[in-house]
Amino acid sequence: MTVMGTARPAGRPRSERAEKAIVDATLDLIGEGTSVSELSIEAVAARAGVGKTTIYRRWANKEELVGDALATLKAPLPVVEGRTVREDLVAYLDVMRQDSLTLRTRCIMNIAMSEPDRHPNLYERFHKTAIEPRRVAMRAVLGRGVASGELRPDLDIELAIGMLSGTMLWYTKGAAHNNTPLADDLAARIVDEALRGFLSR
């Protein structure tokens, strides 16, 4: 017999706990070296302690699940209102640096993004949820700098984004390959060097 008015147990709702367990299981399996091609819904379900139907109620396929799981690894975008262009760019690039700090995260990102041709839906989903929002933010910062006269009026914004983010990725890839730490001031150094060419003269 159910007693009316009985308080619900404290903690996360059951559906949220199950979703977190599924995401964690996905990341654990990839972090342990399972490629996206080798990963199966059955293995994720077993690791998470849920049924396959629980997973399929939330994700239509493996690529959607992995894409959403990877997006949880990305550090949140910083609040940059009122900062200078330099400060904003350093903040955004440092988020990229922080994303690569842990060995587990680097391993997961390298494995999951190593097969874009075989898993185009995964790459597209990850790009939409984790990469494009950062490009949009950097595009807005650079555009504001051009409009205010802080940056050159003829600045190629898309190329500038590629130069800044590409340089940070080059360093993070090297750190992952050599298992070496990244300098805390790396973002500032990249931005300062780039701004030598970006600034209005």
Side-chain angles (χ1 to χ4, degrees):
M1 177 178 178
T2 303
V3 179
M4 297 298 292
T6 301
R8 294 181 64 182
R12 293 189 175 194
R14 184 175 180 181
S15 60
E16 290 185 19
R17 292 198 303 270
E19 186 167 316
K20 184 179 185 304
I22 293 165
V23 168
D24 287 345
T26 302
L27 295 176
D28 286 343
L29 288 167
I30 296 175
E32 291 168 5
T34 303
S35 70
V36 177
S37 297
E38 295 169 339
L39 186 72
S40 68
I41 293 296
E42 289 80 2
V44 173
R47 176 67 67 93
V50 301
K52 289 192 297 182
T53 55
T54 301
I55 297 177
Y56 282 119
R57 278 199 296 267
R58 292 164 174 78
W59 294 277
N61 53 55
K62 177 175 65 175
E63 285 76 14
E64 286 190 6
L65 168 58
V66 174
D68 284 353
L70 289 176
T72 68
L73 296 173
K74 307 295 285 185
L77 291 172
V79 177
V80 297
E81 295 178 1
R83 296 182 178 179
T84 65
V85 169
R86 177 189 180 277
E87 290 173 326
D88 288 354
L89 292 176
V90 169
Y92 283 124
L93 283 192
D94 201 54
V95 166
M96 295 178 64
R97 183 186 68 85
Q98 293 176 42
D99 283 341
S100 67
L101 286 179
T102 65
L103 179 61
R104 176 177 180 265
T105 301
R106 292 201 301 265
C107 178
I108 290 172
M109 297 301 293
N110 287 337
I111 291 176
M113 301 310 293
S114 64
E115 303 174 284
D117 293 335
R118 296 188 64 181
H119 303 284
N121 292 336
L122 165 59
Y123 181 80
E124 180 180 352
R125 191 175 186 85
F126 182 67
H127 186 277
K128 181 179 179 180
T129 59
I131 297 176
E132 187 55 28
R134 285 159 172 75
R135 289 185 177 175
V136 169
M138 290 184 70
R139 195 174 292 128
V141 170
L142 292 168
R144 190 176 72 242
V146 171
S148 68
E150 188 175 352
L151 303 180
R152 292 190 346 244
D154 63 342
L155 178 67
D156 186 327
I157 291 178
E158 296 305 313
L159 183 59
I161 293 171
M163 291 170 64
L164 290 164
S165 59
T167 302
M168 179 59 78
L169 285 173
W170 186 81
Y171 274 99
T172 57
K173 286 284 188 181
H177 180 72
N178 299 314
N179 197 24
T180 56
L182 293 170
D184 292 341
D185 66 343
L186 178 59
R189 287 163 48 207
I190 292 172
V191 170
D192 286 342
E193 192 62 35
L195 285 179
R196 295 176 190 273
F198 295 174
L199 289 175
S200 178
R201 299 178 185 275

